[in-house]
């Protein structure tokens, strides 16, 4: 499992970011996938999930209506479009299978200024 997250950064509240997760192996194409996040002092938890074929998605209540998960199996990549960002979205974001494998990438940091 080798997943590389990118696209994070510093953004003002109300702004948008698009995260990407590239896979050098076959994890993305063979698994339901999810985006997880870990805020300072908190445990990591999932925020968005997508089935292998992309036909079904699910979101944590905290991001529903603002975030959109998608995937491109041909590119072994999943995405997270984040709109209307809030201060409480500040976290390190990770991608992994759902359920998650033990190995995690380095994540990408999202900082939302209020």
């Amino acid at each position: 499992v080798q997943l590389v997250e990118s696209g994070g950064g510093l953004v003002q509240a109300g702004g948008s970011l698009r995260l990407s997760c590239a896979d050098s192996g076959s994890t993305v194409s063979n698994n339901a996938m999810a985006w997880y996040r870990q805020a300072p002092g908190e445990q990591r938890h999932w925020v968005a999930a997508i089935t292998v074929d992309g036909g079904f998605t699910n979101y944590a209540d905290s991001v529903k209506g603002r975030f959109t998960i998608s995937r491109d199996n041909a590119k072994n990549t999943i995405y997270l479009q984040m709109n209307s960002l809030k201060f409480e979205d500040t976290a390190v974001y990770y991608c992994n299978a759902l359920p998650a494998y033990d190995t995690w990438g380095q994540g990408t940091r999202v900082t939302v200024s209020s």
Side-chain angles (χ1 to χ4, degrees), residues 7-13 15-17 19 82 85 87 90 108-114:
L10 174 63
V11 63
Q12 289 188 334
S16 298
L17 284 173
L19 307 184
M82 306 188 297
L85 282 161
F87 175 76
T90 295
T108 186
R109 184 175 300 276
V110 172
T111 303
V112 184
S113 61
S114 57

Side-chain angles (χ1 to χ4, degrees), residues 13-70:
S16 298
L17 284 173
R18 189 191 193 208
L19 307 184
S20 297
C21 169
D23 173 24
S24 60
S26 59
T27 300
V28 168
S29 58
N30 291 335
N31 290 278
M33 295 294 296
W35 283 96
Y36 304 77
R37 71 184 182 188
Q38 185 169 20
E42 297 183 8
Q43 290 189 332
R44 183 161 45 201
H45 64 275
W46 77 274
V47 294
I50 188 167
T51 51
V52 173
D53 65 358
F56 181 78
T57 57
N58 198 19
Y59 300 91
D61 288 344
S62 57
V63 306
K64 198 171 295 183
R66 300 187 298 120
F67 289 11
T68 302
I69 187 172
S70 61

Side-chain angles (χ1 to χ4, degrees), residues 54-100:
F56 181 78
T57 57
N58 198 19
Y59 300 91
D61 288 344
S62 57
V63 306
K64 198 171 295 183
R66 300 187 298 120
F67 289 11
T68 302
I69 187 172
S70 61
R71 66 191 299 154
D72 185 338
N73 287 342
K75 296 181 178 179
N76 287 333
T77 302
I78 65 168
Y79 305 96
L80 186 67
Q81 178 66 43
M82 306 188 297
N83 299 328
S84 302
L85 282 161
K86 303 177 180 180
F87 175 76
E88 50 265 39
D89 294 320
T90 295
V92 179
Y93 285 73
Y94 304 85
C95 65
N96 207 322
L98 183 71

